[in-house]
């Protein structure tokens, strides 16, 4: 006769998330192989009968579970009437990240492989959080979810193996999941449960979901643990900074960055140079906080022909060109010349469009802070620094709200000072660290420059 299976230890927990406290149930089977956090879009994750059925199956498979409420009781009461919070993906994502960081700090869980199980809009929050935490998340499962709401940047950045489960009768959500599947670049799979509607209320359909999830997590959480046992480096480490991430938008990021640049206040001949388009909103807030003039410095990325998302280099005002070879991608000199000519024409157009009749500010003997909305590879910023050096400023600082730690370190050899307000690891992309990261428009850039020029002219008098 087999000995009875020990009853899992159950703990009611209270999780700090910003100014709120979230309540949950943490269940730890004996010798568990990992921990799965549940993200339920409507907030009441720990009381969801469907989530509890899936969690019980995971516990039977030797996987720990954390079912918690993504919304406070007061927020949930509002959401029942308005449904506003369940579609507040940035709020749900922050809560998911905070709960993950809390779980990773608990005794007995510091080395546990972590997975996410998301339902409805909670799937989007789980995917964005997985993209931000990178290799620290071992697997993701979405049940009847809206992964499309995570957006293409987050979907492309996910490294955790991801399983999307959709009901066969949930036709619209099937289409949305198929689109999301195409944007995922990780190990991925879409499973359609025949006859199931959105909530998997049909007999036996939720049991299929539980079986699929248990198999997916058992495979990938155990694999992650084996890898972790065989390594001794810092891969997957989560580096927290004293800047609260993510930023709401570029203006918010600029205000946070300005706090890190207070030591520049009052320096003579201080100038803030912003890289358009994304850097202008950041630079506007920095210049306003430091009471300095704002100007632009136009740099254009040189994208590989047919692979524009990969930068082979950049050009800047003053004829500076920086090349950044990418292994596995080659291009002929004629193709490079064609890209340079096209981007040079766009560079000139933008300078005229943004600055209008105002001449560029002379950089000679000035203290210059060059600002962008973030640093990934740094090729654009490097081109800017090299070109600005030719204008002979007295002091040149690079400042960004968020950047890849390695890129920020590399630029310290080129600039007099580099200020990266946050260097999260894994980094994975600038846009992941903003709740709102739309492409800035030419009109926005022009309007902010005109307002900054007007305000500085008034303060000078």
């Amino acid at each position: 006769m087999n000995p009875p299976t020990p009853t899992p230890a159950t703990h009611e927990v209270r999780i700090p998330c910003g100014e709120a406290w979230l309540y949950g149930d943490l269940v730890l089977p004996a010798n568990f192989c990992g921990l799965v956090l549940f993200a339920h879009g409507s907030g009441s994750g720990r009381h969801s009968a469907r989530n509890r059925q899936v969690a019980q199956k995971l516990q039977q498979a030797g996987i720990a579970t954390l079912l918690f409420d993504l919304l406070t009781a007061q927020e949930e009461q509002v959401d029942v009437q308005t449904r506003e919070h369940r579609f507040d993906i940035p709020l749900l994502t922050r809560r998911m990240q905070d709960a993950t960081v809390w779980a990773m700090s608990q005794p007995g869980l510091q080395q546990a492989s972590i997975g996410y199980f998301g339902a409805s809009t909670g799937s989007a929050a789980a995917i964005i959080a997985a993209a931000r935490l990178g290799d620290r998340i071992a697997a993701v499962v979405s049940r009847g979810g809206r992964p499309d709401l995570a957006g293409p940047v987050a979907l492309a950045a996910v490294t955790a193996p991801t399983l999307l489960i959709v009901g066969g009768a949930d036709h619209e959500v099937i289409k949305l999941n198929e689109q999301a599947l195409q944007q995922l670049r990780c190990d991925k799979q879409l499973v359609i449960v025949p006859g199931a509607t959105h909530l998997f209320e049909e007999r036996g359909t939720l049991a299929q979901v539980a079986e699929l999830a248990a198999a997916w997590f058992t495979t990938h959480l155990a694999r992650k643990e084996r890898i972790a046992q065989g390594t001794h480096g810092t891969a997957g480490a989560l580096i927290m900074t004293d800047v609260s991430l993510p930023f709401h938008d570029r203006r918010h990021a600029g205000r946070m960055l300005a706090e890190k640049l207070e030591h520049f206040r009052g320096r003579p001949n201080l100038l803030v140079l912003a890289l358009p388009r994304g850097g202008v909103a950041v630079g506007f807030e920095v210049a306003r906080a430091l009471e300095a003039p704002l100007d632009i410095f136009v740099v254009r990325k040189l994208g590989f022909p047919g692979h524009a998302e990969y930068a082979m280099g950049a050009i800047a005002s003053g004829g500076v060109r920086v090349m950044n070879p990418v292994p596995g991608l080659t291009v002929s000199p004629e193709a490079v010349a064609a890209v340079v000519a096209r981007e040079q024409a766009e560079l000139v157009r933008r300078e005229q469009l943004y600055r209008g009749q105002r001449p560029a500010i002379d950089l000679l003997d000035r203290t210059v802070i060059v600002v962008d909305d973030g640093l990934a590879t740094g090729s654009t910023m490097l081109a800017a620094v090299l070109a600005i050096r030719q204008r002979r400023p007295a002091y040149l600082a690079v400042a960004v709200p968020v950047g890849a730690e390695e890129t920020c370190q590399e630029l310290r050899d080129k600039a007099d000072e580099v200020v990266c307000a946050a260097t999260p690891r894994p980094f994975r992309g600038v846009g992941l660290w903003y709740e709102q990261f739309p492409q800035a428009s030419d009109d926005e850039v022009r309007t902010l420059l005109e307002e900054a020029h007007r305000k500085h002219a008034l303060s000078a008098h």
Side-chain angles (χ1 to χ4, degrees):
M1 179 180 296
N2 293 327
T5 302
T7 302
T10 302
H11 308 274
E12 185 174 5
V13 297
R14 195 169 72 141
I15 304 168
C17 292
E19 297 180 355
W21 289 92
L22 304 181
Y23 293 86
D25 296 324
L26 176 64
V27 179
L28 304 174
N31 302 315
F32 58 89
C33 69
L35 170 68
V36 172
L37 282 73
F38 282 67
H40 196 269
S42 61
S44 185
R46 63 176 179 149
H47 298 304
S48 164
R50 286 178 288 275
N51 277 356
R52 284 190 169 276
Q53 182 175 336
V54 174
Q56 186 175 25
K57 183 66 178 179
L58 298 186
Q59 294 155 16
Q60 292 170 355
I63 299 171
T65 61
L66 174 58
L67 280 74
F68 66 103
D69 299 329
L70 279 172
L71 303 179
T72 65
Q74 183 177 5
E75 289 168 342
E76 190 171 352
Q77 288 178 358
V78 173
D79 188 71
V80 169
Q81 301 297 322
T82 66
R83 300 171 65 88
E84 62 184 273
H85 293 308
R86 70 186 63 188
F87 287 97
D88 188 346
I89 306 301
L91 171 67
L92 301 181
T93 303
R94 286 197 302 272
R95 299 276 171 86
M96 197 70 185
Q97 287 180 246
D98 288 345
T100 305
V101 172
W102 173 85
M104 290 190 299
S105 70
Q106 300 308 298
L109 293 176
Q110 290 95 334
Q111 302 302 318
S113 299
I114 292 178
Y116 287 157
F117 183 92
S120 188
T121 55
S123 296
I127 284 173
I128 298 172
R132 289 175 178 164
L133 297 178
D135 294 340
R136 196 62 185 88
I137 305 304
V140 177
V141 174
S142 165
R143 185 263 297 170
R146 293 291 308 277
D148 56 295
L149 295 177
V153 173
L155 285 165
V158 174
T159 58
T162 300
L163 172 64
L164 308 178
I165 307 174
V166 188
D170 198 4
H171 303 296
E172 186 61 33
V173 174
I174 289 176
K175 294 178 183 178
L176 296 172
N177 275 255
E178 288 174 340
Q179 294 169 6
L181 187 74
Q182 293 177 353
Q183 294 171 320
L184 286 166
R185 298 178 181 174
C186 55
D187 182 3
K188 59 189 178 181
Q189 188 174 345
L190 171 62
V191 175
I192 298 176
V193 178
T197 54
H198 185 63
L199 296 178
F200 295 86
E201 295 175 305
E202 295 72 24
R203 184 176 180 179
T205 57
L206 191 60
Q208 292 183 56
V209 171
E211 290 282 355
L212 290 165
W216 192 262
F217 284 126
T218 298
T219 298
H220 295 291
L221 294 183
R223 180 181 299 165
K224 182 70 175 178
E225 283 209 345
R226 288 195 297 272
I227 293 173
Q229 291 170 1
T231 60
H232 303 281
T234 59
L238 176 64
I239 295 181
M240 306 301 292
T241 72
D242 57 353
V243 175
S244 179
L245 294 174
F247 302 112
H248 177 63
D249 56 16
R250 292 181 177 93
R251 298 284 292 270
H252 174 231
R255 292 191 291 272
M256 296 300 100
L257 178 59
E259 294 179 4
K260 305 295 182 182
L261 299 170
E262 274 294 316
H263 57 289
F264 283 98
R265 181 184 294 278
R267 288 200 188 184
N269 294 321
L270 180 63
L271 172 66
V272 176
L273 279 183
L275 303 187
R277 290 180 289 206
V280 175
V282 178
F284 177 86
E285 296 294 341
V286 170
R288 180 165 64 175
L290 299 181
E291 299 179 346
L294 173 68
D295 200 1
I296 55 167
F297 197 81
V298 183
V299 182
R300 294 293 297 169
K301 181 179 77 172
L302 302 175
F304 273 92
H307 300 277
E309 68 275 17
Y310 296 110
M312 63 178 176
I315 58 173
S317 299
V320 172
R321 182 194 302 182
V322 178
M323 300 308 293
N324 180 39
V326 175
L329 290 177
T330 58
V331 61
S332 67
E334 293 79 12
V336 171
V339 173
V340 170
R342 183 176 67 249
E343 295 301 336
Q344 181 66 39
E346 179 64 12
L347 186 151
V348 172
R349 184 193 74 83
R350 291 195 179 199
E351 283 191 329
Q352 295 173 346
L353 175 64
Y354 299 151
R355 193 175 281 117
Q357 299 301 315
R358 294 188 303 274
I361 298 177
D362 188 6
L363 306 185
L364 180 63
D365 293 332
R366 280 188 173 270
T367 295
V368 175
I369 305 174
V370 58
V371 175
D372 203 356
D373 54 14
L375 285 176
T377 65
S379 60
T380 301
M381 182 62 77
L382 177 59
V385 168
L386 294 176
I388 292 169
R389 283 290 193 200
Q390 296 183 1
R391 311 290 179 86
R392 294 184 293 169
Y395 191 87
L396 175 57
V398 170
V400 292
V402 63
E405 185 177 20
E406 298 80 4
T407 303
C408 293
Q409 291 288 356
E410 290 170 1
L411 280 168
R412 288 189 170 94
D413 294 332
K414 308 298 181 183
D416 297 308
E417 183 176 348
V418 177
V419 178
C420 292
T423 53
R425 184 185 294 173
F427 180 69
R428 314 217 64 81
V430 174
L432 284 175
W433 304 104
Y434 288 82
E435 291 178 350
Q436 297 181 15
F437 197 69
Q439 182 170 328
S441 68
D442 288 340
D443 286 342
E444 179 186 358
V445 171
R446 190 167 53 247
T447 299
L448 287 173
L449 288 173
E450 290 174 353
E451 183 177 350
H453 178 74
R454 184 171 59 254
K455 287 184 176 180
H456 187 71
L458 289 173
S459 64
H461 291 82

